[in-house]
Amino acid sequence: MRHDILIADRILPADTLPLEVAVVVPTLNEAANVEKLIAKLSVVLAGRGWEVVFVDDNSPDGTSELVRRIGRGSRHVRIVQRVGRRGLSSAVVEGILATAAPVVAVMDGDLQHSEDALPRLIDAVAGGEADVAVGTRYGAGGGIGDWDEGRARMSRLATRAGQIALGTDVSDPMSGFFAIRRDAFERALPHLSAIGFKILLDILASSPTPLKVAEIPYRFRTREAGESKIGARVIAEYAELIADKTIGRVVPVRLLKFLMVGGLGVFVHLAVLRAVLGAGSAFVTAQTVAVMTAIAFNFFLNNSFTYADRKLKGWRLVGGLASFYAISALGAVANIGIGTWMAGHDERWWVAGVAGVVVGAIWNFAMSSALTWRK
Ligand code: GDD
Ligand code: MN
């Protein structure tokens, strides 16, 4: 302790307050908003030891370079630039890990989160009364700005789904505007999914002990510059986060997706079988065509759905498909072998059948994730 103080005394310029709070701001093409945001932060955080850490996913509009330019003139402004990476949640996690501050606030870089609420968020956790303080759009004095009825309804629905799935009564668990004490964050850290957009929900659901939450209402502002990144992908990632935080505790979500794709493959198989038989082919020909088609179908769907994060492209698709055929062939052999062995040990035909399918499916999953879509 004493040692820390000595070091700090030597390296801190005399006019620098000890670092009390960091504001972590994930950005993707927010160059038009960065300067205004920093100016607003320096007003509401005046008198505190603060810094802002932008975590920018290498925005083509030059957000990183702009922040760096401002950072040369002010120790309050820092940047983490990520290359070849995407994702709001993971950006926030890395921003929090990049700062020494004991309290971290998270806010969007597009000025939609009202900075007036920031001091209240920080103070609610700094003193220890709460572990997390959440900026809520739904309490008295809060608001969702000028969202149209469609988006408002969707947001309410998603909020409800999150509350039910995670058994939380926080009014706005989807909020991207909150403050948290470092110790509370670190307890949740090893259990985070860090999938998609909803880092607060992730933290609340991942914490091994329930977090004490304070709610601070604020009015969500209209975005004036730049564009929202909400889209089909954000919605899919939200569903995935919820799945990971509920059923994912028992079965990995990736395996579930793989099994869903396999289930669809059965329908593809039957449809092709019927069509080829209908065209007058012998059963053995039709069955072969159906198997080959279903495997290819499973490969492409797994490639863009189950393994979207390791998606094979270009020539690597060819090698991937070949390895998937080989693995599936061995999986079929295992399926038949186990099924036949089981049939000799159990009266019920379907038990043997299911045993074969389960072993074959797990084989296919394990091998294709290790070989076809290896990291
Ligand atoms: N680094 C990084 N990487 N930043 C990202 C990414 C990404 O992949 N995607 C979005 N961002 C940044 C944006 O630049 C912005 O600063 C912030 O994250 C929020 O993105 P928006 O696209 O503006 O989201 P929104 O306004 O539709 O929704 C926001 O507000 C909701 C209500 O609080 C988000 O914070 C939601 O999570 C939140 O529910
Ligand atoms: Mn926004």
Side-chain angles (χ1 to χ4, degrees):
M1 187 68 212
R2 182 82 209 120
H3 185 66
D4 289 1
I5 296 170
L6 279 177
I7 291 177
D9 273 350
R10 249 178 292 141
I11 62 177
L12 288 178
D15 60 349
T16 305
L17 297 163
L19 185 59
E20 176 191 337
V21 58
V23 182
V24 168
V25 182
T27 56
L28 200 57
N29 291 328
E30 303 290 0
N33 294 312
V34 158
E35 274 169 289
K36 241 191 213 156
L37 177 62
I38 296 171
K40 285 169 180 283
L41 290 178
S42 52
V43 173
V44 295
L45 298 176
R48 299 175 191 253
W50 68 279
E51 66 180 9
V52 54
V53 180
F54 288 89
V55 186
D56 181 56
D57 287 351
N58 208 20
S59 302
D61 76 350
T63 304
S64 290
E65 189 42 40
L66 174 62
V67 172
R68 222 174 269 121
R69 232 168 32 232
I70 301 170
R72 272 178 221 126
S74 166
R75 294 293 175 98
H76 291 296
V77 179
R78 296 181 44 208
I79 175 85
V80 173
Q81 180 177 4
R82 306 195 305 172
V83 178
R85 306 276 309 281
R86 262 301 155 77
L88 202 164
S89 287
S90 63
V92 167
V93 170
E94 283 168 44
I96 297 177
L97 292 175
T99 175
V103 169
V104 178
V106 176
M107 83 192 284
D108 291 349
D110 56 5
L111 308 171
Q112 289 194 272
H113 291 155
S114 167
E115 67 289 340
D116 306 330
L118 210 45
R120 267 174 295 151
L121 288 171
I122 296 165
D123 293 340
V125 296
E129 310 89 82
D131 300 310
V132 192
V134 179
T136 174
R137 294 164 289 178
Y138 299 120
I144 55 170
D146 69 345
W147 274 0
D148 59 59
E149 189 42 44
R151 173 134 194 215
R153 191 176 315 126
M154 198 154 90
S155 178
R156 277 198 303 272
L157 212 84
T159 299
R160 201 72 203 104
Q163 287 169 330
I164 292 170
L166 307 174
T168 168
D169 54 5
V170 175
S171 66
D172 195 358
M174 318 274 285
S175 179
F177 189 28
F178 61 95
I180 186 165
R181 255 196 346 271
R182 172 167 298 281
D183 57 289
F185 170 77
E186 281 175 359
R187 271 181 276 139
L189 179 62
H191 312 288
L192 290 177
S193 307
I195 301 169
F197 239 56
K198 306 301 173 189
I199 182 63
L200 173 66
L201 195 70
D202 197 355
I203 292 173
L204 293 174
S206 302
S207 179
T209 49
L211 295 173
K212 234 194 294 162
V213 180
E215 306 203 49
I216 313 284
Y218 79 97
R219 293 201 70 80
F220 195 63
R221 290 201 203 108
T222 305
R223 186 189 255 278
E224 267 155 29
E227 288 170 4
S228 170
K229 282 86 202 175
I230 281 271
R233 189 181 170 145
V234 169
I235 296 165
E237 286 172 340
Y238 178 58
E240 192 165 341
L241 174 66
I242 299 255
D244 193 44
K245 283 288 168 260
T246 49
I247 188 164
R249 295 185 197 277
V250 189
V251 190
V253 170
R254 213 193 280 280
L255 174 60
L256 282 178
K257 288 170 131 184
F258 192 84
L259 295 177
M260 274 162 67
V261 170
L264 285 177
V266 174
F267 288 102
V268 170
H269 180 112
L270 293 178
V272 173
L273 182 61
R274 182 176 168 192
V276 180
L277 281 176
S281 295
F283 184 83
V284 60
T285 317
Q287 178 75 340
T288 308
V289 173
V291 168
M292 300 301 271
T293 314
I295 293 177
F297 167 84
N298 278 15
F299 171 76
F300 286 108
L301 198 53
N302 277 320
N303 192 46
S304 45
F305 174 62
T306 316
Y307 290 96
D309 55 330
R310 303 184 203 168
K311 194 168 179 175
L312 304 173
K313 289 183 188 138
W315 281 107
R316 299 189 52 206
L317 269 175
V318 180
L321 182 59
S323 73
F324 196 66
Y325 268 118
I327 289 163
S328 304
L330 286 174
V333 171
N335 179 337
I336 295 167
I338 293 285
T340 310
W341 179 83
M342 251 333 243
H345 287 75
D346 198 300
E347 303 285 84
R348 293 158 299 178
W349 61 271
W350 58 270
V351 172
V354 169
V357 168
V358 167
V359 170
I362 290 178
W363 159 273
N364 285 354
F365 175 69
M367 293 308 283
S368 66
S369 105
L371 298 174
T372 312
W373 289 283
R374 68 173 164 270
K375 277 202 180 160

